[in-house]
Amino acid sequence: MRYVMIGAGAVGGTVGGRLAQASREVVLVARGRHLAALHEHGLRLRVPEGELTHRLPVVDGPGPLGELRADDVLVLAVKTQDTVAALETWADVPVAGGGTAAERLPLVCLQNGVESGRLALRRFRHVYGVCVWLPSAFVEPGVVSAAGAPLTGILTLGRVPHGTDDTARRIAADLTDARFEAPVVPDVARWQYAKLLANLGNALEAVSGPVASDDALALLARVRAEGEAVLDAAGIPYAGPAEEHAARGDKVTLVPLDGSPRGGGSSWQSLVRGTGTIEADYLNGEIVLLGRLHGVPTPLNELLQHLADRFARERREAGSLPVAALVRLADEAVRQGG
């Protein structure tokens, strides 16, 4: 199989680089300065064993590839807010032997949240979801880092909306050879919703910095409690903290990397890079949506959704809102009922 990494940033670049290291065929899809750096210098992947350089085919879209191959696997690793544009770009690309990518090829959603799988099913017949546990960072154009050891990450996958098949098992086998744990499960959504609850703190970290103080941790607990209440009301199952801890254990431990400070999660990184967008609409915003559908108030998640969006649009400095000020806003949001 050939892996076409649609989005070669922190997650896509790390998975693509590790697959290439395991002698799998990989194509990277990127744009702008990152595309230029990948062309000129290759993908530089900083990991605990050092910096690895992978000279891989790099394209800005399907055009340079011509017909896709029947053994291609499309791996969607863009942020959720960029999913629709990516699906529209790749769905109708012809595949050797007849048909289109949307009709014939597997599409793997290597993304946070749960929305991309639903969006993909509108266009693609064969969609696979992944619960992504992969601490990684975009360092600079052409350079990504992943500090996990002994495994680089845990990528739990299955069909969307549910089920398993031989394709999922073949992908998992390749990922396993590439220093990931890749369990194939029939209920991948249950793990994705558990990860969604964990990701509700991304916006908090992005606007107010590391979630380390007692006030920040207490606020995070309240935000997560809202999320759990919503999922319970909606009847959506999710893996509990004890089950998650047992599955992860100490398989992915962060190792300091020279020249690659981690800094923060994906939402924090979006603000630092000044991308102008952030995933909060599909993380905290997913809880807000479900809360409205099922009659559960979600004032804290709504607040974080709006604050993160505003920080991204206005390109405010990551972590610049003091936690004490955020707690006051949160208390006021609760008093006003969201």
Side-chain angles (χ1 to χ4, degrees):
M1 293 190 292
R2 180 177 69 169
Y3 292 89
V4 181
M5 309 301 300
I6 303 171
V11 171
T14 296
V15 174
R18 284 302 204 189
L19 283 168
Q21 186 182 359
S23 300
R24 284 1 182 234
E25 197 171 354
V26 175
V27 175
L28 302 178
V29 182
R31 59 187 179 183
R33 294 173 57 207
H34 192 42
L35 172 70
L38 292 171
H39 269 304
E40 186 172 357
H41 303 293
L43 172 66
R44 295 163 58 195
L45 175 60
R46 294 178 183 170
V47 287
E49 64 265 35
E51 182 172 292
L52 311 174
T53 300
H54 298 284
R55 294 281 183 175
L56 302 171
V58 186
V59 297
D60 62 356
L65 296 176
E67 278 190 329
L68 293 173
R69 292 172 14 186
D71 67 340
D72 278 340
V73 176
L74 304 183
V75 182
L76 192 61
V78 299
K79 295 293 177 63
T80 304
Q81 59 267 29
D82 298 320
T83 292
V84 170
L87 294 173
E88 291 176 349
T89 297
W90 290 87
D92 295 328
V93 179
V95 177
T100 65
E103 294 166 340
R104 294 186 56 195
L105 299 183
L107 178 79
V108 179
C109 295
L110 192 69
Q111 300 163 288
N112 284 330
V114 296
E115 181 65 14
S116 284
R118 296 192 292 239
L119 293 170
L121 282 175
R122 295 177 184 272
R123 300 294 298 271
F124 281 76
R125 292 178 182 173
H126 309 290
V127 179
Y128 299 80
V130 182
C131 175
V132 181
W133 182 253
L134 172 54
S136 57
F138 181 96
V139 179
E140 62 185 62
V143 184
V144 299
S145 69
L151 294 177
T152 302
I154 300 175
L155 306 174
T156 303
L157 70 154
R159 288 188 63 94
V160 176
H162 50 75
T164 64
D165 60 15
D166 287 342
T167 298
R169 286 183 281 272
R170 290 176 63 196
I171 294 170
D174 285 345
L175 291 171
T176 300
D177 287 345
R179 302 199 185 198
F180 297 97
E181 184 169 288
V184 178
V185 298
D187 55 351
V188 68
R190 196 170 71 90
W191 292 93
Q192 289 177 308
Y193 276 106
K195 179 70 186 308
L196 173 66
L197 291 174
N199 285 147
L200 297 181
N202 287 17
L204 197 164
E205 177 190 57
V207 302
S208 289
V211 183
S213 69
D214 289 344
D215 286 346
L217 289 168
L219 179 56
L220 176 59
R222 295 166 63 192
V223 171
R224 181 184 173 104
E226 271 190 5
E228 291 176 346
V230 164
L231 296 186
D232 291 343
I236 295 174
Y238 54 92
E243 188 178 3
E244 284 191 291
H245 180 74
R248 292 173 183 164
D250 57 359
K251 300 170 185 174
V252 183
T253 300
L254 297 185
V255 176
L257 301 179
D258 292 340
S260 299
R262 172 150 168 78
S266 58
S267 295
W268 184 89
Q269 292 178 46
S270 292
L271 293 185
V272 170
R273 293 174 60 193
T275 62
T277 65
I278 200 166
E279 279 187 303
D281 284 347
Y282 301 99
L283 300 176
N284 305 89
E286 180 70 25
I287 296 302
V288 173
L289 171 61
L290 288 171
R292 290 170 179 167
L293 289 173
H294 297 279
V296 179
T298 58
L300 300 178
N301 279 279
E302 185 173 350
L303 172 67
L304 288 176
Q305 177 190 7
H306 290 322
L307 282 175
D309 283 345
R310 186 184 310 159
F311 267 57
R313 289 195 311 270
E314 298 175 1
R315 290 177 167 77
R316 295 192 188 182
E317 182 182 355
S320 59
L321 178 64
V323 171
L326 178 57
V327 170
R328 287 195 295 272
L329 290 173
D331 290 341
E332 180 62 25
V334 170
R335 282 194 295 271
Q336 294 180 358

